[in-house]
Amino acid sequence: AQSVTQLGSHVSVSEGALVLLRCNYSSSVPPYLFWYVQYPNQGLQLLLKYTTGATLVKGINGFEAEFKKSETSFHLTKPSAHMSDAAEYFCAVTGYFGNEKLTFGTGTRLTIIP
Amino acid sequence: EAQVTQNPRYLITVTGKKLTVTCSQNMNHEYMSWYRQDPGLGLRQIYYSMNVEVTDKGDVPEGYKVSRKEKRNFPLILESPSPNQTSLYFCASSEGGDEVHTEAFFGQGTRLTVV
């Protein structure tokens, strides 16, 4: 079975400050990891994904995440927060094959303080 | 444009009145699924389908039905809705099959209220 834990259901940062959203995973097989973003009244949009290869992955809107197997973590970061980053962020894990289930964390709501 | 389309976006209904939420994708994806999103619980999978006529239960299937008669459509059916099914529902699709897992595309969501 696979699972993800997102630490902090709400995170607030000042505009221009570092964004750090935490995600730890549990998986008995090599994990494929994703970060999705949900803007108000919208569906989920893929931010970035880790499958194999480079452990530092870059996504859209200046976000990046680093896969650390030793720490079973996949934290999401952005050097400088922008007001438009206010949204809910979900970490998710799945296995290798396309027909395997995507398991989501409980989400982190990011608030940007002007 | 690649997209997953859900209808309706908003729905208020009464307990026990059967309803269907439609979902259609235009990407020829094999894998489709339904999730419900509740505060503090994230997204939980209700049902999924690996291909036409192949469906299976997810984590929270009680009170729901699905069908997959065509590759593009995957409707969610609530035969007798109850207030505890008030939630935000998302349909998603991805390529599936034996290929490496790729991005899941999500619909805009259906906010259902059962009174």
Side-chain angles (χ1 to χ4, degrees):
Chain A
Q2 298 172 309
S3 66
V4 290
T5 302
Q6 291 184 241
L7 298 175
S9 58
H10 292 85
V11 171
S12 296
V13 302
S14 297
E15 191 174 14
L18 171 72
V19 176
L20 171 61
L21 304 183
R22 300 178 187 273
C23 173
N24 287 89
Y25 71 90
S26 173
S27 178
S28 57
V29 298
Y32 281 23
L33 293 156
F34 301 78
W35 275 99
Y36 281 85
V37 60
Q38 183 182 26
Y39 298 106
N41 297 316
Q42 294 189 27
L44 278 73
Q45 176 183 359
L46 182 69
L47 263 184
L48 49 80
K49 64 182 179 183
Y50 168 78
T51 52
T52 58
T55 56
L56 181 63
V57 293
K58 296 186 184 300
I60 62 172
N61 301 336
F63 284 93
E64 61 183 36
E66 186 170 11
F67 171 66
K68 292 187 177 180
K69 185 177 179 180
S70 61
E71 299 177 9
T72 61
S73 69
F74 191 57
H75 302 331
L76 181 71
T77 61
K78 181 174 180 178
S80 178
H82 191 272
M83 294 301 295
S84 61
D85 295 328
E88 189 153 21
Y89 293 80
F90 292 94
C91 182
V93 64
T94 187
Y96 175 86
F97 290 107
N99 57 11
E100 296 187 54
K101 187 175 80 170
L102 196 59
T103 299
F104 286 88
T106 53
T108 298
R109 183 168 299 279
L110 178 64
T111 300
I112 310 299
I113 304 166
Chain B
E1 179 189 354
Q3 61 183 3
V4 177
T5 304
Q6 288 179 233
N7 281 297
R9 291 288 310 277
Y10 302 91
L11 180 59
I12 301 175
T13 190
V14 296
T15 300
K17 185 176 181 181
K18 180 180 178 180
L19 66 91
T20 300
V21 183
T22 64
C23 174
S24 180
Q25 50 95 3
N26 63 359
M27 295 166 279
N28 202 37
H29 283 167
E30 290 189 356
Y31 190 94
M32 297 185 74
S33 56
W34 276 101
Y35 294 86
R36 61 178 289 173
Q37 181 182 3
D38 301 290
L41 298 178
L43 279 82
R44 296 176 292 167
Q45 192 183 57
I46 302 171
Y47 268 92
Y48 65 95
S49 170
M50 292 193 187
N51 215 325
V52 176
E53 301 293 0
V54 180
T55 63
D56 208 347
K57 297 177 180 179
D59 298 318
V60 288
E62 292 77 22
Y64 305 94
K65 285 176 58 178
V66 294
S67 69
R68 188 92 181 271
K69 294 183 171 53
E70 306 165 283
K71 199 170 188 179
R72 64 183 292 123
N73 296 323
F74 189 46
L76 179 69
I77 304 157
L78 284 71
E79 294 269 1
S80 182
S82 63
N84 64 12
Q85 293 178 296
T86 293
S87 187
L88 179 58
Y89 292 86
F90 287 101
C91 179
S93 76
S94 56
E95 289 186 8
D98 294 335
E99 298 298 320
V100 65
H101 198 105
T102 58
E103 175 184 357
F105 290 81
F106 284 80
Q108 293 287 81
T110 296
R111 185 166 293 280
L112 172 65
T113 302
V114 183
V115 299

